[in-house]
Amino acid sequence: MGRDWQHLPPELLEVIGKKVTSLTDYIRFRAVCRPWQSASSLRPDHLPLQLPWLMLPYRSDSNNDSTRRFYDLSASKIHELDLPETHGVSICGSSHGWLVLQKRQVVSLFNPITRATISLPPFSGRPTALGIAPATLDRSDAINPTDNVMVRKAILTSSPVLDPTCKVFVFTNSTWCLAFCKIGDKCWTVIEFGYHWPWGIWDIMYSNGFLYTIDFFSKVTMYNLNNNPSRTLLGGEAGSIYLGTYCFHLAEGVSGDILLIDGRRTYVNEVFKEIEYKVYQLSNDREPKWIEVIDGGQNVLFLSGKYNAFSLSSANLQLPEWGENCLCYDSVWTDQKNRQESECAWYNHWYNHNIKLARLDDGTFTDITGDLGSFQVNAHWQNSIWLTPSLL
């Protein structure tokens, strides 16, 4: 007679559950039966940091916009999740396992693993200000409550489940271009006014209580939200670098360093070949400057989409063989068929994706995956985005 696994003692099931370190395996463990589910925590605190999943755009051959596909780096496979919450919305950011969603003036946080949702203040109300706005704030049209605000990037300071003081920062296409809110706030608080695209804020990051921005000319500004004033750390000619024409992003290093990922298009005989990435670190000298990173130490960098870049510590990850001193990124390209189809409708574009690795020491490229398929980027800005899966 076989063993009745369903009726193992709860204390034994609890011990077994805490031995499971893979998030997907833990979810399967809880799904075995009701007793196994009861003996394991819905929000376990023993799971280590997981390797990110790449959330791909909608498939061009699918009519079911609720199904989202995630490439799991640790399992080297694609998971398909039914997420109607992401249908018809802009995905503005991914941070601490949560997505920031926007549909018109409504903004929310969404965890695609637990399906938990947290509402944020809508953009239909009048924001408050930190007192660092320009003199034009006195004008009646300085803050327009009916402004059509589109979030270009959103980041979280921590997990909203673990930290009740979690803040959400955004930069937008609005008159109030930089703002934040805390979980439970009724309105947004403006940090900076005067949006001027494309010459204004290009990317943002948060580290150790400070918010950092970089503009199109590589000027880096630090904001101290406790006493309000901003301070330019790097700008003009001193220590600046020539940024590539493809993309550049800020990311927090595992030691709190400010990192810059700079992507430049490379050509051979006037034919586009590849995006060449370089990583820089902002020095802590009396005169800050960018220093190219050849040895990334414990930093494992990830990059995708327009505004999605971050680093994770190799000491806290169960890394595959490739995961040292590298930048892992979503390589996006258009084949001849998709290029012809895209020319028929400027607002619907189809792109192919595969994940590549760029070594920081010698600049070589390696394919991690093959072609992940053809995906649609439409008016809802459905780009690919990295998600660090979490049950917290």
Side-chain angles (χ1 to χ4, degrees):
M1 184 175 178
R3 184 180 298 275
D4 187 358
W5 294 101
Q6 183 176 348
H7 294 97
L8 289 175
E11 58 272 17
L12 178 59
L13 288 172
E14 183 179 0
V15 171
I16 296 173
K18 289 184 176 180
K19 297 292 184 180
V20 180
T21 58
S22 163
L23 181 140
T24 53
D25 288 343
Y26 188 82
I27 293 174
R28 294 188 186 102
F29 177 87
R30 297 191 77 246
V32 169
C33 60
R34 193 174 299 276
W36 287 39
Q37 186 181 85
S38 300
S40 54
S41 173
L42 178 63
R43 292 177 174 172
D45 57 7
H46 75 278
L47 291 178
L49 185 66
Q50 304 290 302
L51 273 172
W53 295 0
L54 182 66
M55 181 178 181
L56 294 159
Y58 291 130
R59 294 184 61 173
S60 59
D61 59 352
S62 174
N63 293 322
N64 183 4
D65 283 349
S66 294
T67 301
R68 304 309 301 259
R69 307 177 85 221
F70 296 81
Y71 186 85
D72 180 351
L73 282 174
S74 60
S76 300
K77 64 180 294 185
I78 287 180
H79 304 295
E80 291 193 353
L81 303 181
D82 184 34
L83 301 174
E85 296 89 345
T86 65
H87 173 58
V89 303
S90 297
I91 299 177
C92 313
S94 171
S95 190
H96 297 277
W98 292 74
L99 299 175
V100 183
L101 310 181
Q102 180 185 5
K103 188 169 186 179
R104 302 183 184 90
Q105 307 291 64
V106 177
V107 190
S108 62
L109 303 181
F110 176 64
N111 185 323
I113 307 301
T114 65
R115 302 287 292 276
T117 299
I118 298 175
S119 297
L120 298 179
F123 288 131
S124 55
R126 187 179 182 89
T128 59
L130 275 180
I132 56 176
T136 54
L137 177 61
D138 294 332
R139 294 170 48 192
S140 60
D141 62 346
I143 308 175
N144 186 356
T146 61
D147 215 357
N148 183 22
V149 179
M150 181 177 68
V151 177
R152 294 191 173 273
K153 181 175 180 176
I155 55 175
L156 281 66
T157 58
S158 54
S159 165
V161 171
L162 298 177
D163 182 8
T165 66
C166 168
K167 295 184 180 69
V168 181
F169 291 94
V170 298
F171 81 89
T172 77
N173 68 337
S174 169
T175 304
W176 43 288
C177 63
L178 191 61
F180 76 94
C181 73
K182 291 183 290 186
I183 304 300
D185 280 355
K186 301 299 182 183
C187 64
W188 291 88
T189 299
V190 175
I191 303 172
E192 190 69 74
F193 291 82
Y195 174 84
H196 299 288
W197 180 259
W199 316 116
I201 295 173
W202 189 268
D203 200 5
I204 61 176
M205 63 161 278
Y206 178 85
S207 177
N208 296 323
F210 297 94
L211 182 71
Y212 299 87
T213 66
I214 187 170
D215 69 9
F216 184 80
F217 300 103
S218 77
K219 182 178 75 173
V220 178
T221 303
M222 180 181 73
Y223 296 85
N224 183 342
L225 303 184
N226 294 322
N227 55 20
N228 297 339
S230 61
R231 180 164 67 95
T232 298
L233 298 181
L234 186 66
E237 297 298 326
S240 63
I241 60 174
Y242 170 72
L243 294 174
T245 56
Y246 180 69
C247 65
F248 51 95
H249 303 273
L250 291 177
E252 180 188 12
V254 296
S255 300
D257 303 321
I258 301 175
L259 302 177
L260 175 68
I261 303 172
D262 180 24
R264 310 174 184 217
R265 292 182 181 270
T266 58
Y267 296 85
V268 175
N269 297 326
E270 300 184 353
V271 176
F272 169 66
K273 181 182 179 182
E274 185 59 83
I275 302 297
E276 177 183 319
Y277 289 102
K278 292 188 176 182
V279 178
Y280 299 88
Q281 178 182 332
L282 190 64
S283 70
N284 293 320
D285 299 336
R286 298 180 68 178
E287 294 186 2
K289 60 184 177 180
W290 293 113
I291 301 174
E292 185 174 356
V293 175
I294 304 299
D295 182 0
Q298 292 186 343
N299 290 297
V300 182
L301 295 164
F302 297 89
L303 174 66
S304 70
K306 292 180 179 292
Y307 303 106
N308 182 218
F310 59 94
S311 69
L312 297 176
S313 171
S314 60
N316 298 327
L317 291 171
Q318 296 178 345
L319 285 173
E321 192 174 286
W322 48 259
E324 294 289 342
N325 200 31
C326 61
L327 167 66
C328 184
Y329 67 99
D330 177 27
S331 177
V332 182
W333 53 279
T334 305
D335 61 23
Q336 185 61 37
K337 175 178 178 294
N338 286 337
R339 186 179 297 112
Q340 293 172 352
E341 291 177 351
S342 297
E343 291 172 353
C344 299
W346 63 270
Y347 52 85
N348 281 317
H349 300 284
W350 285 264
Y351 296 95
N352 291 70
H353 293 250
N354 72 309
I355 300 175
K356 290 191 174 185
L357 198 74
R359 300 283 177 185
L360 299 185
D361 49 3
D362 58 14
T364 57
F365 298 91
T366 305
D367 284 340
I368 296 179
T369 69
D371 185 2
L372 296 177
S374 178
F375 300 89
Q376 182 178 3
V377 176
N378 57 27
H380 293 297
W381 286 51
Q382 298 294 355
N383 294 287
S384 63
I385 191 166
W386 288 107
L387 170 84
T388 306
S390 174
L391 293 171
L392 301 175

mmCIF file of all heavy atoms in Angstrom, residues 30 42 84 109 115 125 140 147 154 171-172 206 244-246 262 268 284 296 305 321 328 333 340 345 354:
data_model
loop_
_atom_site.group_PDB
_atom_site.id
_atom_site.type_symbol
_atom_site.label_atom_id
_atom_site.label_comp_id
_atom_site.label_asym_id
_atom_site.label_seq_id
_atom_site.Cartn_x
_atom_site.Cartn_y
_atom_site.Cartn_z
ATOM 1 N N ARG A 30 2.544 24.229 -2.750
ATOM 2 C CA ARG A 30 1.294 24.645 -2.105
ATOM 3 C C ARG A 30 0.065 24.182 -2.887
ATOM 4 O O ARG A 30 -1.047 24.114 -2.336
ATOM 5 C CB ARG A 30 1.249 26.158 -1.951
ATOM 6 C CG ARG A 30 2.337 26.734 -1.065
ATOM 7 C CD ARG A 30 2.095 28.201 -0.725
ATOM 8 N NE ARG A 30 1.053 28.308 0.300
ATOM 9 C CZ ARG A 30 -0.129 28.844 0.109
ATOM 10 N NH1 ARG A 30 -0.457 29.308 -1.093
ATOM 11 N NH2 ARG A 30 -1.021 28.926 1.087
ATOM 12 N N LEU A 42 1.517 31.597 2.889
ATOM 13 C CA LEU A 42 1.192 32.270 1.638
ATOM 14 C C LEU A 42 2.251 33.311 1.293
ATOM 15 O O LEU A 42 2.485 33.595 0.118
ATOM 16 C CB LEU A 42 -0.189 32.931 1.754
ATOM 17 C CG LEU A 42 -0.693 33.728 0.555
ATOM 18 C CD1 LEU A 42 -0.860 32.816 -0.661
ATOM 19 C CD2 LEU A 42 -2.013 34.418 0.878
ATOM 20 N N PRO A 84 -5.699 39.286 -16.605
ATOM 21 C CA PRO A 84 -6.585 40.296 -17.204
ATOM 22 C C PRO A 84 -6.342 41.691 -16.645
ATOM 23 O O PRO A 84 -6.706 42.686 -17.285
ATOM 24 C CB PRO A 84 -7.990 39.785 -16.847
ATOM 25 C CG PRO A 84 -7.799 38.863 -15.687
ATOM 26 C CD PRO A 84 -6.452 38.242 -15.883
ATOM 27 N N LEU A 109 -0.577 49.449 -8.170
ATOM 28 C CA LEU A 109 0.489 48.463 -8.093
ATOM 29 C C LEU A 109 -0.132 47.082 -8.231
ATOM 30 O O LEU A 109 -1.224 46.830 -7.719
ATOM 31 C CB LEU A 109 1.219 48.563 -6.752
ATOM 32 C CG LEU A 109 1.827 49.905 -6.376
ATOM 33 C CD1 LEU A 109 2.529 49.802 -5.023
ATOM 34 C CD2 LEU A 109 2.798 50.389 -7.433
ATOM 35 N N ARG A 115 -1.347 38.200 -7.531
ATOM 36 C CA ARG A 115 -2.525 38.890 -8.061
ATOM 37 C C ARG A 115 -3.017 39.986 -7.105
ATOM 38 O O ARG A 115 -4.144 40.475 -7.247
ATOM 39 C CB ARG A 115 -3.656 37.914 -8.363
ATOM 40 C CG ARG A 115 -3.320 36.814 -9.355
ATOM 41 C CD ARG A 115 -3.227 37.333 -10.769
ATOM 42 N NE ARG A 115 -4.524 37.749 -11.266
ATOM 43 C CZ ARG A 115 -5.430 36.919 -11.811
ATOM 44 N NH1 ARG A 115 -5.140 35.613 -11.915
ATOM 45 N NH2 ARG A 115 -6.572 37.370 -12.267
ATOM 46 N N GLY A 125 -6.673 64.439 -9.427
ATOM 47 C CA GLY A 125 -6.710 65.418 -8.347
ATOM 48 C C GLY A 125 -5.540 66.381 -8.400
ATOM 49 O O GLY A 125 -4.557 66.186 -9.104
ATOM 50 N N SER A 140 -2.306 80.302 -12.160
ATOM 51 C CA SER A 140 -3.429 79.376 -12.009
ATOM 52 C C SER A 140 -3.272 78.139 -12.873
ATOM 53 O O SER A 140 -3.845 77.102 -12.568
ATOM 54 C CB SER A 140 -4.741 80.098 -12.369
ATOM 55 O OG SER A 140 -4.693 80.554 -13.724
ATOM 56 N N ASP A 147 -4.653 67.619 -16.371
ATOM 57 C CA ASP A 147 -3.537 67.298 -17.268
ATOM 58 C C ASP A 147 -3.590 65.821 -17.654
ATOM 59 O O ASP A 147 -3.859 64.959 -16.818
ATOM 60 C CB ASP A 147 -2.217 67.584 -16.548
ATOM 61 C CG ASP A 147 -1.163 68.097 -17.503
ATOM 62 O OD1 ASP A 147 -1.448 68.168 -18.696
ATOM 63 O OD2 ASP A 147 -0.066 68.419 -17.027
ATOM 64 N N ALA A 154 8.191 54.411 -13.403
ATOM 65 C CA ALA A 154 7.819 54.393 -11.990
ATOM 66 C C ALA A 154 8.707 53.403 -11.262
ATOM 67 O O ALA A 154 9.030 52.338 -11.791
ATOM 68 C CB ALA A 154 6.351 54.016 -11.822
ATOM 69 N N PHE A 171 8.261 59.750 -13.129
ATOM 70 C CA PHE A 171 8.448 60.951 -13.947
ATOM 71 C C PHE A 171 7.549 60.821 -15.151
ATOM 72 O O PHE A 171 7.321 59.733 -15.681
ATOM 73 C CB PHE A 171 9.918 61.223 -14.277
ATOM 74 C CG PHE A 171 10.507 60.432 -15.407
ATOM 75 C CD1 PHE A 171 10.440 60.907 -16.708
ATOM 76 C CD2 PHE A 171 11.175 59.240 -15.173
ATOM 77 C CE1 PHE A 171 11.007 60.203 -17.750
ATOM 78 C CE2 PHE A 171 11.749 58.525 -16.211
ATOM 79 C CZ PHE A 171 11.657 59.008 -17.503
ATOM 80 N N THR A 172 6.986 61.956 -15.569
ATOM 81 C CA THR A 172 5.859 61.952 -16.483
ATOM 82 C C THR A 172 6.067 62.953 -17.616
ATOM 83 O O THR A 172 7.065 63.673 -17.666
ATOM 84 C CB THR A 172 4.560 62.328 -15.742
ATOM 85 O OG1 THR A 172 4.523 63.751 -15.529
ATOM 86 C CG2 THR A 172 4.458 61.631 -14.390
ATOM 87 N N TYR A 206 16.515 55.317 -7.213
ATOM 88 C CA TYR A 206 16.428 55.625 -5.786
ATOM 89 C C TYR A 206 17.468 54.801 -5.047
ATOM 90 O O TYR A 206 17.640 53.605 -5.316
ATOM 91 C CB TYR A 206 15.028 55.298 -5.264
ATOM 92 C CG TYR A 206 14.851 55.537 -3.778
ATOM 93 C CD1 TYR A 206 14.533 56.795 -3.282
ATOM 94 C CD2 TYR A 206 15.025 54.487 -2.871
ATOM 95 C CE1 TYR A 206 14.366 57.017 -1.927
ATOM 96 C CE2 TYR A 206 14.867 54.693 -1.506
ATOM 97 C CZ TYR A 206 14.537 55.963 -1.045
ATOM 98 O OH TYR A 206 14.385 56.173 0.306
ATOM 99 N N GLY A 244 25.481 57.482 -25.699
ATOM 100 C CA GLY A 244 25.071 56.894 -26.960
ATOM 101 C C GLY A 244 23.714 57.392 -27.402
ATOM 102 O O GLY A 244 22.930 57.932 -26.618
ATOM 103 N N THR A 245 23.416 57.197 -28.675
ATOM 104 C CA THR A 245 22.153 57.679 -29.228
ATOM 105 C C THR A 245 21.041 56.648 -29.081
ATOM 106 O O THR A 245 19.905 56.933 -29.431
ATOM 107 C CB THR A 245 22.323 58.010 -30.721
ATOM 108 O OG1 THR A 245 22.811 56.848 -31.412
ATOM 109 C CG2 THR A 245 23.297 59.140 -30.911
ATOM 110 N N TYR A 246 21.345 55.472 -28.537
ATOM 111 C CA TYR A 246 20.318 54.450 -28.428
ATOM 112 C C TYR A 246 19.595 54.512 -27.083
ATOM 113 O O TYR A 246 18.395 54.683 -27.022
ATOM 114 C CB TYR A 246 20.927 53.065 -28.627
ATOM 115 C CG TYR A 246 19.909 51.951 -28.530
ATOM 116 C CD1 TYR A 246 18.944 51.795 -29.520
ATOM 117 C CD2 TYR A 246 19.896 51.089 -27.444
ATOM 118 C CE1 TYR A 246 17.991 50.799 -29.432
ATOM 119 C CE2 TYR A 246 18.952 50.080 -27.350
ATOM 120 C CZ TYR A 246 18.001 49.942 -28.351
ATOM 121 O OH TYR A 246 17.061 48.968 -28.257
ATOM 122 N N ASP A 262 25.110 52.574 -20.706
ATOM 123 C CA ASP A 262 25.090 53.371 -21.932
ATOM 124 C C ASP A 262 25.093 52.441 -23.135
ATOM 125 O O ASP A 262 26.004 51.630 -23.298
ATOM 126 C CB ASP A 262 26.319 54.292 -21.950
ATOM 127 C CG ASP A 262 26.365 55.162 -23.203
ATOM 128 O OD1 ASP A 262 25.302 55.391 -23.802
ATOM 129 O OD2 ASP A 262 27.473 55.600 -23.573
ATOM 130 N N VAL A 268 28.789 48.006 -39.163
ATOM 131 C CA VAL A 268 29.867 47.478 -39.988
ATOM 132 C C VAL A 268 29.481 47.746 -41.431
ATOM 133 O O VAL A 268 28.443 47.268 -41.908
ATOM 134 C CB VAL A 268 30.084 45.969 -39.756
ATOM 135 C CG1 VAL A 268 31.139 45.445 -40.724
ATOM 136 C CG2 VAL A 268 30.506 45.706 -38.306
ATOM 137 N N ASN A 284 33.025 58.811 -6.060
ATOM 138 C CA ASN A 284 32.705 59.576 -4.844
ATOM 139 C C ASN A 284 33.751 60.639 -4.552
ATOM 140 O O ASN A 284 33.881 61.091 -3.408
ATOM 141 C CB ASN A 284 32.583 58.621 -3.646
ATOM 142 C CG ASN A 284 31.390 57.694 -3.784
ATOM 143 O OD1 ASN A 284 30.325 58.123 -4.227
ATOM 144 N ND2 ASN A 284 31.565 56.435 -3.402
ATOM 145 N N GLY A 296 32.591 44.199 -12.593
ATOM 146 C CA GLY A 296 31.359 44.581 -11.926
ATOM 147 C C GLY A 296 31.217 44.057 -10.517
ATOM 148 O O GLY A 296 30.201 44.329 -9.865
ATOM 149 N N GLY A 305 13.435 47.015 -22.376
ATOM 150 C CA GLY A 305 12.502 48.087 -22.660
ATOM 151 C C GLY A 305 13.158 49.447 -22.680
ATOM 152 O O GLY A 305 14.361 49.599 -22.902
ATOM 153 N N GLU A 321 25.688 29.465 -15.105
ATOM 154 C CA GLU A 321 27.111 29.531 -15.418
ATOM 155 C C GLU A 321 27.518 30.886 -15.987
ATOM 156 O O GLU A 321 28.631 31.357 -15.786
ATOM 157 C CB GLU A 321 27.431 28.418 -16.442
ATOM 158 C CG GLU A 321 28.901 28.163 -16.646
ATOM 159 C CD GLU A 321 29.120 26.961 -17.551
ATOM 160 O OE1 GLU A 321 28.909 25.828 -17.092
ATOM 161 O OE2 GLU A 321 29.476 27.167 -18.715
ATOM 162 N N CYS A 328 22.765 41.415 -18.587
ATOM 163 C CA CYS A 328 21.791 40.549 -19.244
ATOM 164 C C CYS A 328 20.693 41.455 -19.807
ATOM 165 O O CYS A 328 20.081 42.225 -19.060
ATOM 166 C CB CYS A 328 21.223 39.557 -18.226
ATOM 167 S SG CYS A 328 20.086 38.347 -18.921
ATOM 168 N N TRP A 333 14.710 43.004 -32.183
ATOM 169 C CA TRP A 333 15.012 43.197 -33.587
ATOM 170 C C TRP A 333 13.763 42.939 -34.418
ATOM 171 O O TRP A 333 12.801 42.326 -33.956
ATOM 172 C CB TRP A 333 16.151 42.281 -34.032
ATOM 173 C CG TRP A 333 15.936 40.840 -33.705
ATOM 174 C CD1 TRP A 333 16.158 40.223 -32.507
ATOM 175 C CD2 TRP A 333 15.440 39.818 -34.571
ATOM 176 N NE1 TRP A 333 15.841 38.886 -32.564
ATOM 177 C CE2 TRP A 333 15.397 38.612 -33.829
ATOM 178 C CE3 TRP A 333 15.038 39.790 -35.906
ATOM 179 C CZ2 TRP A 333 14.968 37.410 -34.373
ATOM 180 C CZ3 TRP A 333 14.606 38.585 -36.442
ATOM 181 C CH2 TRP A 333 14.581 37.422 -35.685
ATOM 182 N N GLN A 340 7.940 44.938 -42.897
ATOM 183 C CA GLN A 340 6.959 45.313 -43.909
ATOM 184 C C GLN A 340 5.576 45.507 -43.302
ATOM 185 O O GLN A 340 4.865 46.451 -43.644
ATOM 186 C CB GLN A 340 6.914 44.242 -45.004
ATOM 187 C CG GLN A 340 8.187 44.160 -45.829
ATOM 188 C CD GLN A 340 8.192 42.971 -46.763
ATOM 189 O OE1 GLN A 340 7.325 42.106 -46.719
ATOM 190 N NE2 GLN A 340 9.195 42.916 -47.635
ATOM 191 N N ALA A 345 1.133 50.251 -40.357
ATOM 192 C CA ALA A 345 0.468 50.909 -39.235
ATOM 193 C C ALA A 345 1.529 51.384 -38.251
ATOM 194 O O ALA A 345 2.159 50.580 -37.582
ATOM 195 C CB ALA A 345 -0.496 49.944 -38.543
ATOM 196 N N ASN A 354 15.110 38.155 -28.093
ATOM 197 C CA ASN A 354 15.907 37.102 -27.482
ATOM 198 C C ASN A 354 16.793 37.736 -26.424
ATOM 199 O O ASN A 354 17.047 38.942 -26.442
ATOM 200 C CB ASN A 354 16.733 36.322 -28.513
ATOM 201 C CG ASN A 354 17.877 37.129 -29.062
ATOM 202 O OD1 ASN A 354 17.704 38.257 -29.509
ATOM 203 N ND2 ASN A 354 19.076 36.566 -29.038
#
